[in-house]
Amino acid sequence: MDAGCHSEGTPGAVDTALPRIALIGSPNAGKTSIFNALTGMHAKTGNYPGVTVSRFIGSTRIGDQRYVIEDLPGTYSLEPISPDEQVMVDVLHGRLDGEQPPDALLVAIDATTLRRSLRFVAQVLRLGLPTCVMVTFTDELSGRQGHLDVEAFEQALGVPVVRVIGNRGQGIDRLRERIAQWRTWSAPVLPPPADPAETDAWAESVLTFAAYRAPGRHRVTQRVDAVLLHPVWGTIVFFAVMVLFFQTVFTIAAPLQGYVETFFGWLSGLTAEHIGNRWAAGLLGEALLGGIGAVLVFVPQIVLLFLLIALLEGVGYMSRAAFLMDRVMARAGLEGRAFVALLSSFACAIPGIMATRTLPSAKDRLATMMAAPLMTCSARLPVYVLLIGLLVDPQARVGPFGVQGLVMFGMYLLGAVSAMVAAWAFKKIGDRRGALMPFYMEMPPYRLPSVRSVLVAMGHSAKSFLRKCTTIIAVTTVALWLLLNLPLHSDAELRAHGVDPGDSAAVATYVTDHSYAADLGHLVAPVFEPLGFDWRINVGVLSAQSARETFVATLGQVAAADDPEQPTQALRSMTHTDGPHAGEPLFTAPTIAALLVYFAFAMQCMATIGVMRRETGGWKWPMIAFSYLTVLAWVMAYLARTVVALLGG
Amino acid sequence: MVLIPIHPQPVPDRPDQLRWITPGGVLPFRGVAATAPEPLGALLRDGTLDEVRVETAGVVTTLGPGRTWSGEGTRVRSALHAALADPASWRPADVADKPDDAPLREAAQALLDGQVGEFARSHGGHIELVDVHDGTVTVRLGGACRGCPASRLTLRHRLEDQLRRRCPDLVAVTDTTAPQN
Amino acid sequence: MVRRPSASPHPRQLTDDAATAQRPAGQVSLLADLPRGHRATVVRVADDAHPATARRLEDLGFTSGTEVEVVRRAPLRDPVVYRVKDYELCLRRAQAQCVLIREAA
């Protein structure tokens, strides 16, 4: 992104005349709360050039002057050790194309970690830009028997210091007043030292002058961590939290999604009633409305997932979860924080991919993104249910367990294991060139996040999903509808082929069987023939490209089922129409196994591709993911088929 | 090697001076330094610094003519760190200054009449100035403060902090309150 | 530029002794070998540590003369939570091996 982004975010203003303020600080200092309080929800996002790091720029009005405010990524140091950090330093020095350094800096430091933070403050003051220090969590400092004389601190540093309690919104007004005076901010009489030993000495001197008393241990954190990070109890609680996480999603999001689907179903029914032309009704009702509906149906799940993630992150539990899982993740070359991203993908890969933002290493982010689609997302569930129902007798048992349940569990396991292997492989490929980033993770005290910051985090994610994925999902839905419903057939044509135009189910079957999608299905038949798929299954797989769960309905249509949503009976009686297996049942065990495995691996969700494109800033990586996963799906499906055929004798 | 904590403060109306706040009692005298350990001594000799004066809890450095802090500040800081590590090699220019107690007395009285005294009164106690001598301020506490060691400590620290900021030459604040039996 | 004291004996040799032998207080050892609940003072970051790791560790607070305490280990022994400069963070063994410490008596 270049300077052009400013003009998009501030309509009607000349961007070069607006003062640019940059917010910097360490990750848990409450910087983003302050940014949200200053700019509200009006932050434009994008990526920094050349890296997969999101850029947040907003604006605020103080008096009659508008200011552009940028929330730089949280960091512990201005000495970069990765390309991501280098970009941030480049922003501060105005080294990005077409950009100047910011006009002024706001540094957020946590009063409870002042001793460490002063080293960072020293680095910032050495930049020589007008700087104002915002001290956060002073209430927590007092609560933990700490103390800071803010005026003395200001005198010692030589720059303005404002006390801000971000999660309560206190001090924001005073901060805004200070921002308005940015041209008159005092500067230190001498920049702080660069030498590490001298910096420590400088910091200690400043702290003594400011009568700083370090906080005692946070009692609540200590007590809670004694359980949450206990080798046994902690792991138990961890899995309980994860189960609760998913339970909430399925219990709350699923009904909401049902409402959305019902609403759009009703809407398209309405259009069918009021538009005479069957085809036009279909285009408007099913394609267009269906496209929009397909986007909106994601929203409850995504919003809820992001709410939960923002809550857990805001409270401070995420670092505990990452701490517990780091060793396991390290086996795949990743780190603890990647676990959260992968786990979210069990519900939906989209929040999972977006959650990779918390990973400091770009290579980790990519490897996790490439692996996330392999996790068994909720969209695969209806497909698995259908196929397992075809494959396994509901009464079959192994010991106390139903075989159907076991196979389902096996599919989940397959998803998780293949995701880990994929992550490991991508990390390996990526690592050949660079050195490994050191692993470190702050364990902040448990804090109550402000309701506002949680809602804003959730809102931002939902907004960015909608902005970037609506097009791709809607376009795919419409395109697929067209493929499945063209060419048009007149009533006379239908009768000539023995189809009663009044029988909508028969018409639907006929249309599907003679559609362009069917042509495509026949076209790719040689490719999928070794897997045991015929052209009708191919059509189903193709339609799953927009959303996996449509596989069930499409297949139902193709099979001329009485109720396309419950096509099991119809599918069982399907036979090959031609070729060497003509007359034999289509859904044999090897074929079903191949289909199951194909769905486990194939990347069929356009929304995921859209999100990947947004996060990586280009088409390269989504295309790589799509290619490798499709090839993998074919190979693994063939393997599955062969194995099952052998086992079947 | 752990360095002595110091940080610079501007001196009002003297842009050619910097007051380096140090812990109290690091150096054995107060007043202008005639010689200081290398490399600080070298800075004095080559004209970078005109004068180095030792205070109770600080060192005031004066730039030579035509020099700037943006130019020399880093070198002066590093030299000062090195020199403070060797306090025995500092030599005073002449007999050490006798501290002038008058400004200290004024400042102490003002604080006791003002915010420090108010603070004591708001907790049901009171604080009074007993003596100021050679940079040491002696006070006596009464009322609720008298029997409570914690409040006496708080009060004393408060007075010390505020006083030292106004008069860096302050040596200490002592408390002659008789303990309650 | 960062001034570092002259190179010390290869710090990696310490792990063989430190693991089995008794460590008299005052001897330089690795942060990675400090048992849970123990306190120590940072001597410095090892000279042969990767420069990026060394810089980051110092920025995180592992500077000469700083006190550090081992708070807890993860269920599978790694990573480990340390308390340094008034806050807590976790490091993997690979990073903790880069910090030279002197244990308190």
Side-chain angles (χ1 to χ4, degrees):
Chain A
M1 276 192 97
D2 58 5
C5 68
H6 296 171
S7 52
E8 293 172 80
T10 55
V14 179
D15 41 285
T16 48
L18 293 181
R20 275 179 63 218
I21 319 272
L23 247 78
I24 48 180
S26 68
N28 297 291
K31 169 177 63 74
T32 303
S33 285
I34 297 175
F35 177 72
N36 291 332
L38 285 174
T39 62
M41 269 283 284
H42 318 290
K44 197 75 184 122
T45 68
N47 273 10
Y48 286 103
V51 292
T52 57
V53 179
S54 297
R55 188 170 199 179
F56 296 90
I57 297 182
S59 75
T60 188
R61 170 165 252 122
I62 304 174
D64 48 6
Q65 173 71 55
R66 211 174 184 91
Y67 298 84
V68 173
I69 313 223
E70 177 164 357
D71 187 13
L72 290 174
T75 182
Y76 293 98
S77 167
L78 290 188
E79 287 178 33
I81 60 171
S82 74
D84 297 353
E85 296 183 357
Q86 183 64 55
V87 163
M88 190 197 65
V89 172
D90 289 342
V91 169
L92 286 173
H93 284 101
R95 286 197 284 252
L96 290 187
D97 276 344
E99 283 192 28
Q100 296 294 312
D103 293 303
L105 299 177
L106 291 174
V107 188
I109 53 176
D110 184 337
T112 64
T113 63
L114 219 48
R115 198 155 254 130
R116 178 205 77 212
S117 307
L118 273 180
R119 190 185 165 97
F120 179 67
V121 171
Q123 290 175 344
V124 173
L125 292 177
R126 290 180 60 76
L127 288 173
L129 293 170
T131 307
C132 173
V133 170
M134 309 175 295
V135 182
T136 59
F137 297 110
T138 46
D139 53 341
E140 188 181 307
L141 180 67
S142 313
R144 288 162 65 181
Q145 286 82 49
H147 176 72
L148 176 69
D149 184 332
V150 175
E151 274 130 34
F153 190 47
E154 188 167 11
Q155 196 184 346
L157 285 181
V159 291
V161 175
V162 181
R163 191 192 334 235
V164 179
I165 302 184
N167 64 345
R168 283 200 241 144
Q170 287 176 17
I172 295 290
D173 291 326
R174 223 174 321 126
L175 179 63
R176 294 169 76 90
E177 283 169 31
R178 288 287 197 154
I179 293 175
Q181 303 158 344
W182 71 272
R183 286 180 213 274
T184 61
W185 285 350
S186 57
V189 61
L190 191 65
D195 174 72
E198 288 187 7
T199 308
D200 267 1
W202 171 85
E204 279 309 314
S205 189
V206 167
L207 289 176
T208 309
F209 191 83
Y212 183 67
R213 194 166 56 238
R217 305 257 187 133
H218 194 232
R219 288 267 166 74
V220 171
T221 304
Q222 263 190 299
R223 293 213 197 98
V224 174
D225 271 351
V227 175
L228 257 50
L229 293 181
H230 187 271
V232 176
W233 293 116
T235 318
I236 293 176
V237 169
F238 172 70
F239 282 113
V241 170
M242 294 299 128
V243 166
L244 202 66
F245 188 76
F246 284 111
Q247 223 19 67
T248 320
V249 174
F250 288 128
T251 323
I252 300 182
L256 286 176
Q257 282 175 297
Y259 292 146
V260 176
E261 278 167 0
T262 313
F263 176 68
F264 275 89
W266 171 79
L267 266 182
S268 80
L270 216 57
T271 50
E273 273 175 40
H274 292 264
I275 298 182
N277 184 317
R278 189 188 353 107
W279 197 82
L283 184 65
L284 192 61
E286 283 168 25
L288 282 177
L289 279 179
I292 301 171
V295 175
L296 291 180
V297 91
F298 271 107
V299 172
Q301 196 177 77
I302 288 185
V303 163
L304 190 61
L305 274 168
F306 275 117
L307 174 64
L308 289 174
I309 291 177
L311 255 176
L312 286 178
E313 177 85 53
V315 162
Y317 184 68
M318 283 314 200
S319 52
R320 272 73 184 173
F323 175 73
L324 288 171
M325 298 310 294
D326 186 62
R327 190 75 190 263
V328 173
M329 288 287 120
R331 293 263 157 76
L334 298 176
E335 51 136 302
R337 281 168 285 212
F339 181 79
V340 177
L342 286 177
L343 194 74
S344 313
S345 307
F346 262 137
C348 177
I350 291 164
I353 290 173
M354 290 170 91
T356 58
R357 279 186 204 157
T358 55
L359 299 170
S361 159
K363 292 187 183 115
D364 279 10
R365 282 201 294 277
L366 267 172
T368 312
M369 271 194 249
M370 294 292 109
L374 283 167
M375 299 294 269
T376 313
C377 75
S378 51
R380 288 180 167 101
L381 232 50
V383 177
Y384 285 178
V385 167
L386 173 71
L387 292 173
I388 293 177
L390 279 174
L391 181 66
V392 178
D393 178 4
Q395 311 298 339
R397 301 199 101 70
V398 166
F401 301 110
V403 177
Q404 279 192 344
L406 277 179
V407 175
M408 183 66 93
F409 179 73
M411 295 308 293
Y412 269 91
L413 203 60
L414 179 66
V417 169
S418 50
M420 291 293 274
V421 171
W424 175 85
F426 273 97
K427 191 76 200 294
K428 259 279 182 307
I429 300 171
D431 267 346
R432 258 180 318 148
R433 275 169 293 132
L436 288 168
M437 288 242 324
F439 173 79
Y440 57 90
M441 184 170 62
E442 186 173 351
M443 310 280 279
Y446 290 113
R447 289 169 170 155
L448 270 178
S450 74
V451 174
R452 180 201 201 125
S453 63
V454 169
L455 289 178
V456 169
M458 187 179 92
H460 270 140
S461 312
K463 218 168 113 174
S464 60
F465 162 74
L466 283 174
R467 194 185 304 132
K468 287 298 169 160
C469 296
T470 308
T471 325
I472 198 169
I473 297 174
V475 164
T476 315
T477 312
V478 172
L480 277 170
W481 186 89
L482 288 173
L483 280 176
L484 284 161
N485 285 278
L486 291 177
L488 297 175
H489 305 279
S490 67
D491 286 1
E493 223 182 306
L494 288 172
R495 270 189 226 104
H497 284 93
V499 178
D500 172 15
D503 179 357
S504 55
V507 171
T509 310
Y510 183 83
V511 168
T512 314
D513 286 353
H514 293 84
S515 63
Y516 290 136
D519 292 340
L520 264 176
H522 283 289
L523 196 65
V524 300
V527 174
F528 289 105
E529 206 247 305
L531 301 179
F533 301 173
D534 79 337
W535 67 272
R536 287 166 293 179
I537 296 182
N538 295 345
V539 171
V541 169
L542 182 65
S543 83
Q545 202 56 47
S546 67
R548 291 185 177 95
E549 51 277 36
T550 65
F551 176 75
V552 176
T554 312
L555 218 53
Q557 246 176 302
V558 168
D562 295 321
D563 175 8
E565 301 290 330
Q566 312 264 4
T568 314
Q569 258 322 102
L571 291 177
R572 255 193 242 281
S573 53
M574 276 172 83
T575 59
H576 285 269
T577 50
D578 49 26
H581 300 279
E584 291 175 17
L586 181 58
F587 286 96
T588 58
T591 305
I592 300 175
L595 206 47
L596 264 172
V597 171
Y598 188 86
F599 266 87
F601 285 94
M603 183 165 191
Q604 293 162 304
C605 178
M606 293 312 286
T608 313
I609 293 182
V611 171
M612 240 189 242
R613 188 192 84 85
R614 204 201 86 79
E615 291 296 314
T616 59
W619 286 102
K620 171 180 165 196
W621 287 102
M623 285 300 109
I624 291 177
F626 183 75
S627 320
Y628 103 86
L629 283 168
T630 309
V631 170
L632 194 62
W634 194 98
V635 169
M636 296 303 283
Y638 187 74
L639 261 170
R641 177 191 180 75
T642 318
V643 166
V644 173
L646 280 172
L647 285 176
Chain B
M1 186 183 57
V2 182
L3 303 173
I4 299 213
I6 64 174
H7 78 274
Q9 299 271 212
V11 177
D13 303 319
R14 291 295 302 267
D16 60 333
Q17 280 187 346
L18 273 187
R19 171 174 285 116
W20 301 85
I21 309 288
T22 69
V26 170
L27 293 169
F29 63 89
R30 286 196 301 282
V32 178
T35 57
E38 302 301 289
L40 192 60
L43 291 179
L44 276 170
R45 281 196 306 277
D46 70 14
T48 308
L49 290 175
D50 216 26
E51 178 189 86
V52 173
R53 180 156 44 88
V54 179
E55 295 176 341
T56 313
V59 174
V60 179
T61 52
T62 312
L63 278 173
R67 314 286 182 141
T68 60
W69 285 117
S70 53
E72 315 296 346
T74 318
R75 279 171 63 213
V76 171
R77 187 202 324 260
S78 301
L80 186 55
H81 269 302
L84 285 173
D86 182 13
S89 306
W90 290 61
R91 295 273 175 272
D94 50 29
V95 176
D97 289 351
K98 205 88 180 69
D100 181 5
D101 288 328
L104 188 58
R105 182 182 293 272
E106 264 178 55
Q109 193 60 61
L111 280 170
L112 293 181
D113 291 337
Q115 54 164 282
V116 177
E118 261 169 48
F119 179 75
R121 279 189 289 278
S122 72
H123 287 70
H126 61 264
I127 177 171
E128 64 187 35
L129 189 61
V130 172
D131 190 22
V132 177
H133 182 68
D134 265 356
T136 303
V137 173
T138 310
V139 294
R140 181 161 46 231
L141 297 127
C145 305
R146 191 164 142 173
C148 171
S151 75
R152 282 163 62 181
L153 209 61
T154 313
L155 212 49
R156 197 159 62 72
H157 274 151
R158 202 171 256 254
L159 180 60
E160 210 169 283
D161 288 343
Q162 295 288 334
L163 204 47
R164 186 159 283 134
R165 223 170 295 143
R166 290 160 179 73
C167 304
D169 257 345
L170 172 74
V171 173
V173 172
T174 56
D175 163 16
T176 63
T177 309
Q180 210 169 29
N181 282 328
Chain C
M1 281 319 294
V2 171
R3 277 186 262 125
R4 289 194 186 280
S6 54
S8 68
H10 194 318
R12 296 293 175 267
Q13 287 170 356
L14 289 170
T15 41
D16 303 319
D17 304 309
T20 49
Q22 251 200 332
R23 235 185 3 261
Q27 171 120 343
V28 177
S29 57
L30 299 179
L31 181 62
D33 298 326
L34 194 62
R36 183 190 153 146
H38 286 224
R39 290 201 184 147
T41 310
V42 175
V43 173
R44 66 173 184 282
V45 174
D47 298 323
D48 63 346
H50 190 280
T53 304
R55 268 213 304 278
R56 190 45 47 98
L57 285 171
E58 284 181 356
D59 288 330
L60 291 171
F62 292 97
T63 53
S64 302
T66 305
E67 265 203 21
V68 62
E69 180 185 340
V70 179
V71 179
R72 62 170 48 87
R73 310 191 107 89
L76 297 168
R77 315 291 296 147
D78 208 23
V80 178
V81 179
Y82 298 100
R83 190 171 174 78
V84 65
K85 287 223 162 86
D86 309 327
Y87 82 109
E88 291 181 8
L89 84 164
C90 62
L91 296 176
R92 285 181 181 166
R93 190 177 176 79
Q95 282 77 53
Q97 279 179 330
C98 295
V99 181
L100 301 176
I101 51 155
R102 184 172 283 119
E103 193 167 349

